[in-house]
Amino acid sequence: QKEVEQDPGPLSVPEGAIVSLNCTYSNSAFQYFMWYRQYSRKGPELLMYTYSSGNKEDGRFTAQVDKSSKYISLFIRDSQPSDSATYLCAMQGAQKLVFGQGTRLTINP
Amino acid sequence: DTGVSQNPRHKITKRGQNVTFRCDPISEHNRLYWYRQTLGQGPEFLTYFQNEAQLEKSRLLSDRFSAERPKGSFSTLEIQRTEQGDSAMYLCASSLKQGAYNEQFFGPGTRLTVL
């Protein structure tokens, strides 16, 4: 079993929809939880990070962490075609990042 | 451009050949990481350096892989006797150690194809 599980999708939604992306994890030692966005043939770029349990909002993006359930989420409101990318959850274990498989998201105009 | 740079961007080689990739981190970042990403998967940690010291290596890093960061600035990743299973995107990231959380900034990657 992988340390971090993420549904690979693909996920396709119409423009303007609310998107929900999720990951589960098994290592209770993880303290920092991140969402990265990766466009095709590019490196990942950090969208948001959250420390421990709670919510964090940045514009149209909201990240949620529930450590008791070992479950994290990313919500995208008013989704735009430019949001089409692969979204990777990641968790910091010591110094390295442990990534989920990535969810491929397409926003249709 | 002050981001992480990687060269070459693409490398095609024949099985059994040696290849070397280079990563130039963001200036003054003291930590440098290597990850490998195969198609449809998330990046997997390979190794990381703090300054010139290699502090951790993954079990994924077989004896055919070696990484260096001789002066604490750029880093090289060498794969000897390449195999088809080595085909992947090799990502480099850098960070500045300041506290418990240190954002890792990723480069564009080097895509390796082993024929």
Side-chain angles (χ1 to χ4, degrees), chain A residues 9-100:
Chain A
L11 183 60
S12 181
V13 301
E15 183 176 355
I18 296 175
V19 176
S20 173
L21 305 169
N22 312 292
C23 289
T24 58
Y25 64 95
S26 57
N27 188 343
S28 58
F30 291 141
Q31 292 289 338
Y32 292 91
F33 305 88
M34 286 134 281
W35 286 95
Y36 280 81
R37 179 173 60 194
Q38 186 175 28
Y39 292 111
S40 182
R41 300 186 183 278
K42 303 283 188 182
E45 58 175 338
L46 182 69
L47 276 176
M48 303 177 68
Y49 83 91
T50 308
Y51 172 69
S52 195
S53 286
N55 295 356
K56 189 172 186 178
E57 187 174 323
D58 184 1
R60 296 183 295 110
F61 298 87
T62 300
Q64 290 184 351
V65 175
D66 182 349
K67 289 193 71 179
S68 62
S69 302
K70 296 190 178 65
Y71 188 87
I72 73 169
S73 302
L74 178 71
F75 298 94
I76 307 174
R77 293 185 300 278
D78 187 25
S79 55
Q80 304 294 310
S82 59
D83 295 330
S84 298
T86 295
Y87 288 80
L88 297 154
C89 63
M91 295 158 204
Q92 184 169 314
Q95 306 307 325
K96 66 184 181 186
L97 297 180
V98 181
F99 284 88

Side-chain angles (χ1 to χ4, degrees), chain B:
Chain B
D1 187 353
T2 57
V4 178
S5 62
Q6 293 187 245
N7 288 288
R9 295 292 308 278
H10 301 95
K11 179 70 176 178
I12 300 174
T13 191
K14 293 182 179 179
R15 190 165 47 120
Q17 298 294 305
N18 299 343
V19 294
T20 300
F21 311 140
R22 176 178 170 127
C23 171
D24 287 88
I26 293 172
S27 178
E28 297 180 354
H29 275 192
N30 53 3
R31 287 193 167 174
L32 187 148
Y33 310 78
W34 286 99
Y35 293 83
R36 181 173 68 188
Q37 186 177 24
T38 54
L39 198 62
Q41 301 295 317
E44 294 177 293
F45 171 79
L46 292 178
T47 188
Y48 94 95
F49 294 83
Q50 179 158 312
N51 300 313
E52 65 275 9
Q54 188 173 17
L55 297 186
E56 187 175 347
K57 292 196 295 186
S58 164
R59 289 171 296 174
L60 294 174
L61 215 64
S62 75
D63 291 345
R64 297 184 298 105
F65 288 70
S66 63
E68 294 182 342
R69 193 182 184 200
K71 296 182 180 179
S73 57
F74 73 92
S75 175
T76 58
L77 177 67
E78 180 183 17
I79 309 174
Q80 296 182 327
R81 305 181 302 282
T82 51
E83 302 172 356
Q84 287 185 325
D86 296 331
S87 295
M89 174 82 89
Y90 290 84
L91 292 162
C92 176
S94 70
S95 71
L96 179 64
K97 168 144 180 68
Q98 292 180 308
Y101 174 71
N102 309 284
E103 181 181 348
Q104 294 186 25
F105 295 82
F106 282 82
T110 294
R111 183 172 296 279
L112 172 66
T113 302
V114 181
L115 302 176

